[in-house]
Amino acid sequence: MQLLIYILLYPILWCISILPFRLLYFLSDGFYYFTYYIIGYRKKIVRENLALTLPHLSDKERLIIEKKTYKNMCDVFLEMIKTLTISKKELEKRYQFKNIELYLNLEKKGKSIALLCAHYASYEWVTSINSKISFEGYAIYKKINNPYFDKLVRDIRSKFKATLITTKEAISTMEYNFKNNKLSLYGLISDQSPRISSIYHWNKFMGIEVPIHTGGEMLAKKYDMNVIFLRTKKIKRGFYEAELELLSENAKEEPDYDITDRYLKLVEQQIYEKPEYYLWTHKRWKHRKLS
C-alpha cells in the first residue's frame, strides 16, 4: 500500500515541482484555503500556542498572524517540492547567505561545526549552504514511516550536496567522523520539545517555562565543535536572506546549557520580529510548567 501511494503521488509532486513560481504560489493559496478553512489542520494547537506566547496582542492581531502562519507553511511545503527540479542558480537567487564568510573562516579553525536553526521561514532551503562549503554537510532529520517518501525527502534535501542522516544515525556518524578526523558541518533544528526521557534543562521560551532541547549543545561539547546560529529573514514571497551568528568557538569550556539558552534567545527574538513565519503547529509548549 505504501508503494502504491508513492507511485500515485510522485508524478503529481514532480509536476508541481516544474511549475513556474507564479503558478506554484497560486497553488499554495489553494492549499492554504483547504488546510485552514476546510480541514483546519492543527488550528486548535496554533491558537493555543499564539495565545500562550503572545498574550499582549489582541484576538484580532493573533488571528491575522494565525492566517499568515498557514500561508507561510503552505509556501514552505511547496518550496520543498519545488526543490526536486529547481536549479542551483535559481535557488541561490532566492535563498541568499548574507555573511557566508563567517562560516568559511570557521572552517579554517580545524574543527567541525554545528549549525543550529529553527523551524522558521524557509528552513527547507537551508541545505543549500552545502554548495558553498568545503566540509561535508550533514542534515539531521526525523525518519518518515513510509520508506518511499522517506527516500524522496532525502533526495530533495540532499540535492545540493547535503548528506541526510536520521536522528538515530547522528551520534554514530559524529563519533566516526570525530575519530577519523573528518571535518563536517552538522545542521540541527533544535526548537522542538524534547521527549520526557530526554529532559535535562528547563528555561523560559517565549515567556513560558518549558523543557529545552539540549542535544545540539551536548553534541558540540562532546565532539569539540564550533557552534553557529542561522537566522533566516523572509524578504518577500519566495525570497529569503540568511545570516550566520557565532555562538561558540570553545563549546567544551562553556557552562552547561549556556549555548542552548543563547540560541533560544535568538530564536525567540526572530519569532517576536515576525511571528507569522514560525511553525506554530508544533506542540512546543505541551510540557510547560503551570503557574
Side-chain angles (χ1 to χ4, degrees):
M1 179 59 71
Q2 289 182 331
L3 177 58
L4 177 61
I5 294 171
Y6 175 77
I7 291 172
L8 291 173
L9 285 181
Y10 181 80
I12 298 173
L13 297 177
W14 189 86
C15 288
I16 290 173
S17 77
I18 63 174
L19 291 174
F21 274 96
R22 181 173 56 85
L23 291 179
L24 187 82
Y25 290 126
F26 180 78
L27 182 61
S28 180
D29 289 340
F31 269 55
Y32 158 70
Y33 186 88
F34 179 77
T35 303
Y36 184 77
Y37 288 104
I38 306 300
I39 65 173
Y41 173 71
R42 294 198 171 193
K43 193 181 287 187
K44 182 180 178 182
I45 294 170
V46 171
R47 288 185 177 171
E48 288 177 352
N49 286 343
L50 290 173
L52 270 173
T53 58
L54 303 173
H56 58 288
L57 299 181
S58 67
D59 290 344
K60 184 178 179 180
E61 287 172 321
R62 286 197 295 269
L63 182 61
I64 291 171
I65 292 170
E66 177 184 304
K67 291 180 178 180
K68 287 182 176 179
T69 293
Y70 279 87
K71 288 180 179 178
N72 180 71
M73 181 181 70
C74 292
D75 280 0
V76 170
F77 175 69
L78 288 178
E79 285 166 358
M80 181 185 72
I81 296 173
K82 181 67 177 175
T83 312
L84 267 172
T85 55
I86 197 171
S87 68
K88 178 183 175 184
K89 182 180 179 181
E90 181 70 22
L91 185 54
E92 286 181 342
K93 181 177 75 173
R94 291 178 172 273
Y95 193 94
Q96 298 184 353
F97 289 89
K98 187 176 178 180
N99 60 337
I100 193 66
E101 64 277 0
L102 183 147
Y103 169 84
L104 296 175
N105 286 333
L106 281 181
E107 280 197 340
K108 299 172 185 176
K109 305 286 184 177
K111 294 199 294 186
S112 288
I113 300 169
L115 183 152
L116 307 183
C117 59
H119 287 94
Y120 187 89
S122 183
Y123 51 89
E124 288 291 346
W125 281 352
V126 174
T127 55
S128 64
I129 193 174
N130 289 280
S131 64
K132 302 178 180 298
I133 67 177
S134 299
F135 288 4
E136 181 166 359
Y138 293 86
I140 299 167
Y141 81 110
K142 187 174 181 180
K143 190 173 184 178
I144 298 172
N145 289 331
N146 185 314
Y148 305 102
F149 281 105
D150 183 70
K151 182 181 183 304
L152 177 62
V153 168
R154 291 171 71 100
D155 289 344
I156 290 173
R157 291 175 174 171
S158 62
K159 182 174 180 180
F160 297 97
K161 293 175 60 181
T163 300
L164 270 286
I165 52 174
T166 66
T167 50
K168 291 182 178 180
E169 297 169 325
I171 292 178
S172 60
T173 300
M174 291 180 186
E175 181 78 24
Y176 177 85
N177 289 346
F178 182 71
K179 288 181 176 179
N180 290 277
N181 197 31
K182 182 180 180 181
L183 299 177
S184 307
L185 169 67
Y186 301 98
L188 302 104
I189 297 182
S190 299
D191 59 333
Q192 311 97 317
S193 183
R195 295 192 304 269
I196 291 291
S197 60
S198 303
I199 294 176
Y200 303 104
H201 178 54
W202 291 74
N203 203 348
K204 284 190 175 181
F205 179 49
M206 304 290 290
I208 311 296
E209 192 84 10
V210 289
I212 307 299
H213 200 292
T214 60
E217 176 181 337
M218 296 300 103
L219 291 169
K221 284 175 176 287
K222 183 174 182 179
Y223 299 113
D224 193 23
M225 291 188 256
N226 289 321
V227 187
I228 54 177
F229 171 70
L230 184 139
R231 180 197 307 271
T232 303
K233 182 178 180 180
K234 190 167 188 173
I235 307 302
K236 60 181 180 179
R237 198 174 200 183
F239 291 86
Y240 305 87
E241 185 177 83
E243 185 173 6
L244 299 166
E245 183 169 332
L246 180 65
L247 283 176
S248 180
E249 285 190 79
N250 196 10
K252 293 174 72 173
E253 301 302 320
E254 298 268 10
D256 282 349
Y257 312 124
D258 192 62
I259 294 173
T260 298
D261 289 344
R262 282 187 278 125
Y263 155 75
L264 216 59
K265 284 296 179 187
L266 292 171
V267 174
E268 191 176 81
Q269 180 187 67
Q270 189 176 30
I271 296 170
Y272 278 131
E273 288 174 0
K274 290 286 185 179
E276 59 267 32
Y277 299 139
Y278 190 56
L279 192 64
W280 293 102
T281 53
H282 275 191
K283 295 180 180 180
R284 183 62 187 85
W285 292 270
K286 62 183 176 181
H287 300 309
R288 65 186 181 275
K289 287 184 179 180
L290 301 177
S291 56

